[in-house]
Amino acid sequence: MTRQPSPVARPTAFCINDTTLRDGEQTAGVAFTDDEKRSIAAELDAAGVPEMEIGIPAMGPRELELIRSITAMRLRAHTMVWARMCESDLAAALTCGADIIHLSISASDIQIQRKLKRDRPWVLTTLRHFVQRAVAAGTRVSVGLEDASRADDAFLAQLASTAQACGAERVRYADTLGILDPFETHRRIAALRAAVDIDIEIHAHNDLGLATANTLAAFRAGATHASTTVNGLGERAGNAALEEIVMAMRHLHGVDCGVDSRALPFISELVAQASGRPVAANKSIVGDAVFTHESGIHVDGLLKDPLTYQGFDPAELGRSHRTVLGKHSGSHGVMVAYEQLGLHLSNDLARLLLERIRSHVGDTKRSPSPDDLKRFYLEQLPAGATRPF
Ligand SMILES: CC(=O)SCCNC(=O)CCNC(=O)[C@H](O)C(C)(C)COP(=O)(O)OP(=O)(O)OC[C@H]1O[C@@H](n2cnc3c(N)ncnc32)[C@H](O)[C@@H]1OP(=O)(O)O
Ligand SMILES: O=C(O)CCC(=O)C(=O)O
């Protein structure tokens, strides 16, 4: 069936297919233990992630057993396994009990000619053959259009409509090299959306720091599914981060992806530990410092009303605002810090102590501890005054 080119369909739901256990684990140097893979799957499932890509059965007997042990967990989430379009991959994929087999083929001429050493007609024939075989075997099928962002739009549409005619339920549009921007992503996904009536999964990479933006643009253009990874793990610069997509979809598009956002910090930590890839302090949503405030004007505003400097409530993540004293603090923040030590400061004293705090931070590059604050206070006391501690 051919869609009318305009208007662009606007889905009201966006199904997350988390690929931490497949593309995430493809991060160079990362290997999860079997237990780590099962724990990550269990936590993603408990958080409500509706789909997850759990591995590549063709990697051999050990990985196959691990994949089987995950499908045997009987998760609520639908499981997907990744396979090339070749006999051995399909055979392995069919034995592991996954809900969806994802059959991947290169869509760009450069990959077709130089990697596969084939041509477009071979790709179409191969796609027809393997999708029909998988569907006949009774499985749900998704088709991966690798390097779609360097492929010809008309050929992509042909691949997608062939996949659908053969019984596939979805195509994955892979920006394999992370070369798109949101405007181009929107144009391309809208063109594919207009050409075919099949679910479209956006699979964005973060080489230019645009994976989340491109995933959101794809949603606006009619994509129905999104590949994500926890902490944005994945090949090279990674994929669109699960936590960013969940929160951005909620706050920018009013779409609930069905994932409990309070579970995201724990899952982030779990994956950081298992991958050996620590999360940067300023990493959106889950970074340790993203709800920590030092600047005087911000802290003053937050103290008066959190909404003055809050885009979304950190409680959605089970987190809260934190303030620290530092070089950029103001007197209101200083007063509050001393209130917590049981001391009420006059404005003048707060300003004096602020100067002391600034020179401390300038010398040591660290926030003052409660003991430092007490010491600074004592330094300001007139001779003979009663010491509060
Ligand atoms: C963009 C992506 O992320 S795609 C997913 C990539 N993931 C991985 O590669 C991680 C896991 N990979 C592996 O364990 C191994 O690479 C395996 C098991 C898949 C394959 O291993 P090997 O058979 O030893 O082959 P190797 O990886 O060296 O080469 C890839 C082969 O697959 C072919 N191939 C690549 N993509 C496809 C495809 N979509 N369909 C069919 N064949 C393909 C290549 O042309 C090459 O075949 P050739 O030997 O005829 O030249
Ligand atoms: O599933 C596919 O075909 C694409 C796989 C992938 O990880 C990518 O292209 O980045």
Side-chain angles (χ1 to χ4, degrees), residues 64-127:
L64 190 52
E65 270 318 303
L66 171 54
I67 290 170
R68 284 188 185 132
S69 76
I70 297 174
T71 60
M73 288 164 72
R74 299 269 165 243
L75 303 171
R76 283 179 306 167
H78 291 172
T79 53
M80 170 186 276
V81 289
W82 190 95
R84 291 170 297 178
M85 292 203 186
C86 64
E87 297 295 342
S88 53
D89 280 32
L90 176 58
L94 283 169
T95 67
C96 61
D99 298 303
I100 308 168
I101 294 184
H102 178 79
L103 293 166
S104 173
I105 196 81
S106 294
S108 65
D109 288 333
I110 184 168
Q111 286 207 355
I112 293 168
Q113 289 160 15
R114 299 205 201 158
K115 181 184 79 164
L116 300 178
K117 312 275 183 208
R118 303 285 186 172
D119 55 17
R120 290 187 190 184
W122 179 88
V123 169
L124 277 165
T125 307
T126 303
L127 185 151

Short mmCIF file of all heavy atoms in Angstrom, two decimals, residues 64-127:
data_model
loop_
_atom_site.label_atom_id
_atom_site.label_comp_id
_atom_site.label_asym_id
_atom_site.label_seq_id
_atom_site.Cartn_x
_atom_site.Cartn_y
_atom_site.Cartn_z
N LEU A 64 24.82 -18.07 21.87
CA LEU A 64 23.48 -18.62 21.59
C LEU A 64 22.83 -19.11 22.89
O LEU A 64 21.65 -18.84 23.16
CB LEU A 64 23.63 -19.77 20.59
CG LEU A 64 22.38 -20.34 19.96
CD1 LEU A 64 21.51 -19.26 19.35
CD2 LEU A 64 22.78 -21.37 18.89
N GLU A 65 23.60 -19.82 23.70
CA GLU A 65 23.06 -20.31 24.99
C GLU A 65 22.65 -19.14 25.87
O GLU A 65 21.61 -19.19 26.55
CB GLU A 65 24.12 -21.14 25.73
CG GLU A 65 24.08 -22.62 25.41
CD GLU A 65 22.64 -23.16 25.35
OE1 GLU A 65 21.90 -23.03 26.34
OE2 GLU A 65 22.25 -23.68 24.29
N LEU A 66 23.48 -18.09 25.88
CA LEU A 66 23.18 -16.92 26.70
C LEU A 66 21.87 -16.26 26.23
O LEU A 66 20.99 -15.92 27.04
CB LEU A 66 24.35 -15.94 26.64
CG LEU A 66 24.15 -14.56 27.26
CD1 LEU A 66 23.68 -14.65 28.71
CD2 LEU A 66 25.44 -13.76 27.18
N ILE A 67 21.75 -16.13 24.90
CA ILE A 67 20.52 -15.54 24.35
C ILE A 67 19.31 -16.40 24.74
O ILE A 67 18.27 -15.90 25.17
CB ILE A 67 20.65 -15.38 22.82
CG1 ILE A 67 21.67 -14.28 22.50
CG2 ILE A 67 19.30 -15.06 22.18
CD1 ILE A 67 22.08 -14.19 21.04
N ARG A 68 19.50 -17.72 24.63
CA ARG A 68 18.39 -18.62 25.01
C ARG A 68 18.03 -18.44 26.48
O ARG A 68 16.87 -18.50 26.86
CB ARG A 68 18.79 -20.07 24.76
CG ARG A 68 18.77 -20.45 23.30
CD ARG A 68 18.98 -21.95 23.15
NE ARG A 68 19.07 -22.33 21.76
CZ ARG A 68 20.01 -23.10 21.25
NH1 ARG A 68 20.97 -23.60 22.01
NH2 ARG A 68 20.01 -23.41 19.97
N SER A 69 19.05 -18.24 27.31
CA SER A 69 18.74 -18.09 28.74
C SER A 69 17.97 -16.79 28.98
O SER A 69 17.19 -16.70 29.93
CB SER A 69 20.02 -18.16 29.59
OG SER A 69 20.76 -16.96 29.50
N ILE A 70 18.19 -15.79 28.13
CA ILE A 70 17.41 -14.54 28.30
C ILE A 70 15.98 -14.74 27.79
O ILE A 70 15.01 -14.34 28.46
CB ILE A 70 18.10 -13.37 27.57
CG1 ILE A 70 19.48 -13.09 28.20
CG2 ILE A 70 17.23 -12.10 27.63
CD1 ILE A 70 20.31 -12.05 27.48
N THR A 71 15.83 -15.38 26.65
CA THR A 71 14.45 -15.59 26.17
C THR A 71 13.68 -16.52 27.14
O THR A 71 12.47 -16.39 27.30
CB THR A 71 14.39 -16.15 24.73
OG1 THR A 71 15.07 -17.41 24.68
CG2 THR A 71 15.02 -15.20 23.74
N ALA A 72 14.43 -17.40 27.83
CA ALA A 72 13.77 -18.31 28.79
C ALA A 72 13.32 -17.56 30.06
O ALA A 72 12.57 -18.11 30.86
CB ALA A 72 14.72 -19.44 29.18
N MET A 73 13.78 -16.33 30.22
CA MET A 73 13.37 -15.56 31.41
C MET A 73 11.91 -15.13 31.31
O MET A 73 11.33 -14.64 32.27
CB MET A 73 14.26 -14.30 31.56
CG MET A 73 15.67 -14.61 32.00
SD MET A 73 16.80 -13.19 31.73
CE MET A 73 16.25 -12.06 33.00
N ARG A 74 11.32 -15.33 30.14
CA ARG A 74 9.92 -14.97 29.94
C ARG A 74 9.64 -13.53 30.36
O ARG A 74 8.76 -13.24 31.18
CB ARG A 74 8.98 -15.92 30.70
CG ARG A 74 9.11 -17.35 30.28
CD ARG A 74 8.13 -17.68 29.17
NE ARG A 74 8.49 -18.94 28.52
CZ ARG A 74 8.85 -19.08 27.25
NH1 ARG A 74 8.91 -18.02 26.47
NH2 ARG A 74 9.14 -20.25 26.75
N LEU A 75 10.41 -12.64 29.79
CA LEU A 75 10.25 -11.22 30.09
C LEU A 75 8.93 -10.72 29.51
O LEU A 75 8.40 -11.29 28.55
CB LEU A 75 11.41 -10.43 29.47
CG LEU A 75 12.81 -10.87 29.89
CD1 LEU A 75 13.86 -10.17 29.04
CD2 LEU A 75 13.03 -10.59 31.37
N ARG A 76 8.45 -9.61 30.08
CA ARG A 76 7.28 -8.97 29.46
C ARG A 76 7.70 -8.34 28.13
O ARG A 76 6.94 -8.26 27.18
CB ARG A 76 6.74 -7.87 30.36
CG ARG A 76 5.94 -8.35 31.52
CD ARG A 76 5.48 -7.16 32.34
NE ARG A 76 6.60 -6.31 32.74
CZ ARG A 76 6.50 -5.09 33.24
NH1 ARG A 76 5.31 -4.55 33.36
NH2 ARG A 76 7.56 -4.40 33.60
N ALA A 77 8.94 -7.85 28.10
CA ALA A 77 9.45 -7.20 26.88
C ALA A 77 9.56 -8.21 25.75
O ALA A 77 9.89 -9.38 25.99
CB ALA A 77 10.82 -6.60 27.17
N HIS A 78 9.30 -7.74 24.55
CA HIS A 78 9.53 -8.59 23.39
C HIS A 78 11.03 -8.60 23.10
O HIS A 78 11.70 -7.58 23.19
CB HIS A 78 8.76 -8.08 22.18
CG HIS A 78 7.28 -8.25 22.35
ND1 HIS A 78 6.36 -7.72 21.48
CD2 HIS A 78 6.57 -8.87 23.31
CE1 HIS A 78 5.15 -8.02 21.89
NE2 HIS A 78 5.25 -8.71 23.01
N THR A 79 11.54 -9.77 22.75
CA THR A 79 12.98 -9.90 22.49
C THR A 79 13.24 -9.98 20.99
O THR A 79 12.46 -10.58 20.24
CB THR A 79 13.56 -11.14 23.19
OG1 THR A 79 12.79 -12.28 22.81
CG2 THR A 79 13.54 -10.97 24.71
N MET A 80 14.35 -9.38 20.60
CA MET A 80 14.76 -9.39 19.18
C MET A 80 16.20 -9.88 19.10
O MET A 80 17.00 -9.58 19.99
CB MET A 80 14.67 -7.96 18.63
CG MET A 80 15.30 -7.78 17.26
SD MET A 80 15.32 -6.03 16.75
CE MET A 80 13.70 -5.84 16.07
N VAL A 81 16.50 -10.65 18.07
CA VAL A 81 17.91 -11.02 17.83
C VAL A 81 18.33 -10.53 16.46
O VAL A 81 17.52 -10.45 15.53
CB VAL A 81 18.15 -12.54 17.96
CG1 VAL A 81 18.05 -12.97 19.41
CG2 VAL A 81 17.21 -13.35 17.08
N TRP A 82 19.60 -10.20 16.34
CA TRP A 82 20.14 -9.62 15.11
C TRP A 82 20.77 -10.72 14.26
O TRP A 82 21.50 -11.58 14.78
CB TRP A 82 21.19 -8.57 15.46
CG TRP A 82 21.67 -7.73 14.31
CD1 TRP A 82 21.21 -6.51 13.95
CD2 TRP A 82 22.72 -8.05 13.39
NE1 TRP A 82 21.89 -6.04 12.86
CE2 TRP A 82 22.83 -6.96 12.48
CE3 TRP A 82 23.57 -9.15 13.22
CZ2 TRP A 82 23.74 -6.94 11.44
CZ3 TRP A 82 24.49 -9.12 12.18
CH2 TRP A 82 24.57 -8.02 11.30
N ALA A 83 20.52 -10.68 12.95
CA ALA A 83 21.11 -11.69 12.05
C ALA A 83 21.41 -11.06 10.69
O ALA A 83 20.71 -10.15 10.26
CB ALA A 83 20.15 -12.86 11.87
N ARG A 84 22.47 -11.56 10.06
CA ARG A 84 22.70 -11.19 8.66
C ARG A 84 21.74 -11.98 7.78
O ARG A 84 21.14 -12.97 8.22
CB ARG A 84 24.14 -11.53 8.25
CG ARG A 84 25.20 -10.70 8.92
CD ARG A 84 26.59 -11.26 8.64
NE ARG A 84 26.72 -12.60 9.22
CZ ARG A 84 27.79 -13.37 9.11
NH1 ARG A 84 28.84 -12.97 8.41
NH2 ARG A 84 27.83 -14.56 9.68
N MET A 85 21.65 -11.58 6.53
CA MET A 85 20.83 -12.35 5.61
C MET A 85 21.68 -13.45 5.00
O MET A 85 22.18 -13.34 3.87
CB MET A 85 20.24 -11.43 4.54
CG MET A 85 19.22 -10.47 5.14
SD MET A 85 18.06 -9.85 3.95
CE MET A 85 17.17 -8.64 4.92
N CYS A 86 21.91 -14.49 5.79
CA CYS A 86 22.60 -15.68 5.29
C CYS A 86 22.07 -16.89 6.05
O CYS A 86 21.48 -16.74 7.14
CB CYS A 86 24.12 -15.54 5.41
SG CYS A 86 24.71 -15.41 7.10
N GLU A 87 22.26 -18.07 5.45
CA GLU A 87 21.62 -19.29 6.00
C GLU A 87 22.02 -19.55 7.44
O GLU A 87 21.18 -19.84 8.29
CB GLU A 87 22.00 -20.52 5.13
CG GLU A 87 21.52 -20.47 3.70
CD GLU A 87 19.99 -20.49 3.56
OE1 GLU A 87 19.31 -20.88 4.53
OE2 GLU A 87 19.49 -20.06 2.50
N SER A 88 23.33 -19.46 7.72
CA SER A 88 23.79 -19.84 9.06
C SER A 88 23.22 -18.90 10.12
O SER A 88 22.83 -19.34 11.21
CB SER A 88 25.32 -19.86 9.11
OG SER A 88 25.81 -18.62 8.63
N ASP A 89 23.16 -17.59 9.83
CA ASP A 89 22.62 -16.65 10.80
C ASP A 89 21.13 -16.90 11.06
O ASP A 89 20.67 -16.89 12.20
CB ASP A 89 22.80 -15.20 10.32
CG ASP A 89 24.22 -14.67 10.56
OD1 ASP A 89 25.17 -15.47 10.49
OD2 ASP A 89 24.37 -13.45 10.79
N LEU A 90 20.39 -17.12 9.98
CA LEU A 90 18.95 -17.35 10.15
C LEU A 90 18.71 -18.64 10.94
O LEU A 90 17.89 -18.69 11.86
CB LEU A 90 18.23 -17.41 8.79
CG LEU A 90 16.74 -17.73 8.87
CD1 LEU A 90 15.98 -16.70 9.72
CD2 LEU A 90 16.13 -17.79 7.46
N ALA A 91 19.48 -19.68 10.60
CA ALA A 91 19.30 -20.97 11.29
C ALA A 91 19.55 -20.78 12.79
O ALA A 91 18.76 -21.24 13.63
CB ALA A 91 20.26 -22.00 10.71
N ALA A 92 20.62 -20.08 13.14
CA ALA A 92 20.92 -19.87 14.56
C ALA A 92 19.83 -19.04 15.22
O ALA A 92 19.36 -19.34 16.33
CB ALA A 92 22.28 -19.19 14.72
N ALA A 93 19.39 -18.00 14.52
CA ALA A 93 18.39 -17.09 15.10
C ALA A 93 17.08 -17.83 15.38
O ALA A 93 16.39 -17.54 16.37
CB ALA A 93 18.15 -15.91 14.16
N LEU A 94 16.75 -18.78 14.50
CA LEU A 94 15.47 -19.48 14.66
C LEU A 94 15.45 -20.41 15.87
O LEU A 94 14.39 -20.86 16.29
CB LEU A 94 15.15 -20.28 13.39
CG LEU A 94 14.63 -19.46 12.20
CD1 LEU A 94 14.59 -20.29 10.92
CD2 LEU A 94 13.24 -18.88 12.51
N THR A 95 16.64 -20.70 16.43
CA THR A 95 16.67 -21.67 17.53
C THR A 95 16.67 -21.02 18.91
O THR A 95 16.79 -21.72 19.90
CB THR A 95 17.94 -22.54 17.46
OG1 THR A 95 19.07 -21.70 17.71
CG2 THR A 95 18.09 -23.25 16.13
N CYS A 96 16.59 -19.70 18.96
CA CYS A 96 16.84 -19.12 20.29
C CYS A 96 15.60 -18.58 20.99
O CYS A 96 15.71 -18.03 22.08
CB CYS A 96 17.96 -18.09 20.22
SG CYS A 96 17.58 -16.76 19.15
N GLY A 97 14.44 -18.76 20.41
CA GLY A 97 13.21 -18.43 21.14
C GLY A 97 12.89 -16.95 21.23
O GLY A 97 12.06 -16.55 22.05
N ALA A 98 13.55 -16.12 20.40
CA ALA A 98 13.26 -14.68 20.44
C ALA A 98 11.92 -14.40 19.76
O ALA A 98 11.48 -15.14 18.88
CB ALA A 98 14.37 -13.91 19.76
N ASP A 99 11.28 -13.31 20.15
CA ASP A 99 9.99 -12.97 19.55
C ASP A 99 10.15 -12.45 18.12
O ASP A 99 9.29 -12.67 17.27
CB ASP A 99 9.30 -11.87 20.38
CG ASP A 99 9.01 -12.34 21.78
OD1 ASP A 99 8.31 -13.36 21.91
OD2 ASP A 99 9.50 -11.71 22.74
N ILE A 100 11.24 -11.72 17.88
CA ILE A 100 11.43 -11.07 16.57
C ILE A 100 12.83 -11.40 16.06
O ILE A 100 13.81 -11.28 16.81
CB ILE A 100 11.31 -9.53 16.68
CG1 ILE A 100 10.00 -9.14 17.38
CG2 ILE A 100 11.41 -8.87 15.30
CD1 ILE A 100 9.92 -7.67 17.79
N ILE A 101 12.92 -11.79 14.80
CA ILE A 101 14.24 -11.93 14.18
C ILE A 101 14.46 -10.71 13.30
O ILE A 101 13.61 -10.36 12.45
CB ILE A 101 14.35 -13.24 13.36
CG1 ILE A 101 14.28 -14.42 14.33
CG2 ILE A 101 15.66 -13.26 12.57
CD1 ILE A 101 14.47 -15.78 13.68
N HIS A 102 15.57 -10.06 13.55
CA HIS A 102 15.91 -8.85 12.79
C HIS A 102 16.95 -9.25 11.75
O HIS A 102 18.08 -9.64 12.09
CB HIS A 102 16.46 -7.79 13.74
CG HIS A 102 16.87 -6.53 13.06
ND1 HIS A 102 15.98 -5.56 12.66
CD2 HIS A 102 18.10 -6.08 12.69
CE1 HIS A 102 16.64 -4.57 12.08
NE2 HIS A 102 17.92 -4.87 12.08
N LEU A 103 16.56 -9.17 10.48
CA LEU A 103 17.44 -9.58 9.38
C LEU A 103 18.01 -8.32 8.73
O LEU A 103 17.27 -7.49 8.21
CB LEU A 103 16.64 -10.38 8.35
CG LEU A 103 16.13 -11.74 8.83
CD1 LEU A 103 15.08 -12.28 7.86
CD2 LEU A 103 17.29 -12.73 8.96
N SER A 104 19.33 -8.21 8.76
CA SER A 104 19.97 -6.97 8.32
C SER A 104 20.63 -7.13 6.96
O SER A 104 21.21 -8.18 6.65
CB SER A 104 21.02 -6.57 9.35
OG SER A 104 21.75 -5.46 8.89
N ILE A 105 20.55 -6.06 6.17
CA ILE A 105 21.22 -6.04 4.87
C ILE A 105 21.69 -4.60 4.59
O ILE A 105 21.02 -3.64 4.97
CB ILE A 105 20.28 -6.54 3.73
CG1 ILE A 105 21.05 -6.89 2.47
CG2 ILE A 105 19.17 -5.57 3.43
CD1 ILE A 105 21.71 -8.23 2.47
N SER A 106 22.81 -4.48 3.94
CA SER A 106 23.30 -3.14 3.60
C SER A 106 22.41 -2.51 2.54
O SER A 106 22.01 -3.17 1.58
CB SER A 106 24.73 -3.23 3.06
OG SER A 106 25.60 -3.66 4.09
N ALA A 107 22.14 -1.21 2.70
CA ALA A 107 21.26 -0.52 1.76
C ALA A 107 22.01 0.48 0.88
O ALA A 107 21.50 0.88 -0.17
CB ALA A 107 20.16 0.21 2.53
N SER A 108 23.19 0.89 1.30
CA SER A 108 23.92 1.90 0.52
C SER A 108 24.77 1.21 -0.56
O SER A 108 25.27 0.09 -0.35
CB SER A 108 24.85 2.70 1.43
OG SER A 108 25.86 1.85 1.96
N ASP A 109 24.95 1.91 -1.67
CA ASP A 109 25.75 1.32 -2.75
C ASP A 109 27.17 1.05 -2.29
O ASP A 109 27.77 0.04 -2.67
CB ASP A 109 25.74 2.25 -3.98
CG ASP A 109 24.37 2.24 -4.66
OD1 ASP A 109 23.66 1.22 -4.54
OD2 ASP A 109 24.01 3.26 -5.27
N ILE A 110 27.71 1.95 -1.50
CA ILE A 110 29.11 1.75 -1.11
C ILE A 110 29.26 0.45 -0.32
O ILE A 110 30.21 -0.32 -0.54
CB ILE A 110 29.67 2.98 -0.33
CG1 ILE A 110 31.15 2.78 -0.04
CG2 ILE A 110 28.92 3.30 0.92
CD1 ILE A 110 31.87 4.00 0.46
N GLN A 111 28.31 0.16 0.57
CA GLN A 111 28.42 -1.10 1.32
C GLN A 111 28.05 -2.31 0.45
O GLN A 111 28.68 -3.37 0.55
CB GLN A 111 27.52 -1.05 2.56
CG GLN A 111 28.08 -0.15 3.66
CD GLN A 111 27.65 -0.57 5.05
OE1 GLN A 111 26.85 -1.48 5.24
NE2 GLN A 111 28.18 0.12 6.05
N ILE A 112 27.05 -2.12 -0.41
CA ILE A 112 26.65 -3.25 -1.26
C ILE A 112 27.81 -3.66 -2.16
O ILE A 112 28.15 -4.83 -2.30
CB ILE A 112 25.41 -2.87 -2.10
CG1 ILE A 112 24.19 -2.66 -1.19
CG2 ILE A 112 25.11 -3.95 -3.14
CD1 ILE A 112 22.99 -2.01 -1.88
N GLN A 113 28.43 -2.65 -2.78
CA GLN A 113 29.47 -2.97 -3.76
C GLN A 113 30.80 -3.33 -3.11
O GLN A 113 31.45 -4.29 -3.50
CB GLN A 113 29.67 -1.78 -4.70
CG GLN A 113 28.49 -1.60 -5.65
CD GLN A 113 28.43 -0.18 -6.23
OE1 GLN A 113 29.39 0.59 -6.16
NE2 GLN A 113 27.29 0.16 -6.81
N ARG A 114 31.19 -2.56 -2.10
CA ARG A 114 32.56 -2.74 -1.60
C ARG A 114 32.65 -3.69 -0.42
O ARG A 114 33.69 -4.27 -0.18
CB ARG A 114 33.15 -1.39 -1.22
CG ARG A 114 33.22 -0.48 -2.43
CD ARG A 114 34.28 0.56 -2.30
NE ARG A 114 33.98 1.66 -3.20
CZ ARG A 114 34.43 2.88 -3.06
NH1 ARG A 114 35.22 3.18 -2.05
NH2 ARG A 114 34.13 3.81 -3.92
N LYS A 115 31.57 -3.84 0.35
CA LYS A 115 31.63 -4.78 1.47
C LYS A 115 31.05 -6.13 1.05
O LYS A 115 31.72 -7.15 1.17
CB LYS A 115 30.87 -4.22 2.68
CG LYS A 115 30.91 -5.14 3.90
CD LYS A 115 30.09 -4.63 5.07
CE LYS A 115 28.61 -4.91 4.90
NZ LYS A 115 27.83 -4.77 6.15
N LEU A 116 29.82 -6.09 0.52
CA LEU A 116 29.19 -7.36 0.15
C LEU A 116 29.65 -7.86 -1.21
O LEU A 116 29.45 -9.02 -1.55
CB LEU A 116 27.66 -7.20 0.16
CG LEU A 116 27.04 -6.78 1.50
CD1 LEU A 116 25.52 -6.62 1.36
CD2 LEU A 116 27.36 -7.78 2.61
N LYS A 117 30.25 -6.96 -2.01
CA LYS A 117 30.70 -7.30 -3.38
C LYS A 117 29.53 -7.77 -4.23
O LYS A 117 29.61 -8.76 -4.97
CB LYS A 117 31.79 -8.39 -3.35
CG LYS A 117 32.91 -8.14 -2.35
CD LYS A 117 33.98 -7.25 -2.95
CE LYS A 117 35.14 -7.06 -2.00
NZ LYS A 117 35.84 -5.80 -2.19
N ARG A 118 28.40 -7.10 -4.07
CA ARG A 118 27.17 -7.46 -4.79
C ARG A 118 26.57 -6.22 -5.43
O ARG A 118 27.17 -5.15 -5.43
CB ARG A 118 26.15 -8.06 -3.81
CG ARG A 118 26.65 -9.26 -3.04
CD ARG A 118 26.69 -10.49 -3.91
NE ARG A 118 27.04 -11.67 -3.11
CZ ARG A 118 27.00 -12.90 -3.56
NH1 ARG A 118 26.65 -13.14 -4.81
NH2 ARG A 118 27.31 -13.90 -2.79
N ASP A 119 25.31 -6.36 -5.91
CA ASP A 119 24.62 -5.20 -6.48
C ASP A 119 23.19 -5.11 -5.93
O ASP A 119 22.76 -6.00 -5.17
CB ASP A 119 24.64 -5.26 -8.01
CG ASP A 119 24.03 -6.57 -8.53
OD1 ASP A 119 23.33 -7.25 -7.74
OD2 ASP A 119 24.26 -6.92 -9.69
N ARG A 120 22.49 -4.05 -6.31
CA ARG A 120 21.14 -3.85 -5.76
C ARG A 120 20.19 -5.02 -6.05
O ARG A 120 19.45 -5.44 -5.15
CB ARG A 120 20.54 -2.55 -6.29
CG ARG A 120 21.21 -1.30 -5.74
CD ARG A 120 20.43 -0.07 -6.19
NE ARG A 120 21.13 1.16 -5.91
CZ ARG A 120 20.65 2.37 -6.14
NH1 ARG A 120 19.45 2.52 -6.69
NH2 ARG A 120 21.33 3.46 -5.86
N PRO A 121 20.17 -5.57 -7.29
CA PRO A 121 19.25 -6.70 -7.53
C PRO A 121 19.53 -7.87 -6.58
O PRO A 121 18.60 -8.53 -6.08
CB PRO A 121 19.52 -7.07 -8.99
CG PRO A 121 20.00 -5.79 -9.61
CD PRO A 121 20.78 -5.09 -8.55
N TRP A 122 20.81 -8.12 -6.30
CA TRP A 122 21.14 -9.22 -5.35
C TRP A 122 20.56 -8.92 -3.97
O TRP A 122 20.03 -9.80 -3.30
CB TRP A 122 22.66 -9.40 -5.26
CG TRP A 122 23.04 -10.49 -4.29
CD1 TRP A 122 23.18 -11.82 -4.54
CD2 TRP A 122 23.33 -10.32 -2.88
NE1 TRP A 122 23.52 -12.49 -3.39
CE2 TRP A 122 23.63 -11.60 -2.36
CE3 TRP A 122 23.37 -9.22 -2.02
CZ2 TRP A 122 23.95 -11.81 -1.01
CZ3 TRP A 122 23.69 -9.42 -0.67
CH2 TRP A 122 23.98 -10.71 -0.19
N VAL A 123 20.66 -7.68 -3.56
CA VAL A 123 20.13 -7.30 -2.24
C VAL A 123 18.62 -7.56 -2.20
O VAL A 123 18.10 -8.16 -1.24
CB VAL A 123 20.45 -5.83 -1.92
CG1 VAL A 123 19.69 -5.34 -0.69
CG2 VAL A 123 21.96 -5.65 -1.70
N LEU A 124 17.92 -7.15 -3.24
CA LEU A 124 16.46 -7.34 -3.27
C LEU A 124 16.09 -8.83 -3.25
O LEU A 124 15.21 -9.25 -2.50
CB LEU A 124 15.87 -6.67 -4.52
CG LEU A 124 15.61 -5.17 -4.39
CD1 LEU A 124 15.38 -4.55 -5.77
CD2 LEU A 124 14.41 -4.90 -3.47
N THR A 125 16.81 -9.61 -4.05
CA THR A 125 16.53 -11.05 -4.11
C THR A 125 16.82 -11.71 -2.76
O THR A 125 16.04 -12.55 -2.27
CB THR A 125 17.42 -11.70 -5.21
OG1 THR A 125 17.22 -10.99 -6.41
CG2 THR A 125 17.09 -13.17 -5.41
N THR A 126 17.93 -11.30 -2.19
CA THR A 126 18.33 -11.90 -0.90
C THR A 126 17.33 -11.53 0.18
O THR A 126 16.92 -12.38 0.99
CB THR A 126 19.75 -11.39 -0.53
OG1 THR A 126 20.62 -11.73 -1.60
CG2 THR A 126 20.25 -12.00 0.77
N LEU A 127 16.92 -10.28 0.19
CA LEU A 127 15.94 -9.82 1.19
C LEU A 127 14.65 -10.64 1.06
O LEU A 127 14.13 -11.17 2.05
CB LEU A 127 15.69 -8.33 0.99
CG LEU A 127 14.79 -7.62 2.00
CD1 LEU A 127 15.20 -6.15 2.12
CD2 LEU A 127 13.32 -7.68 1.63
#
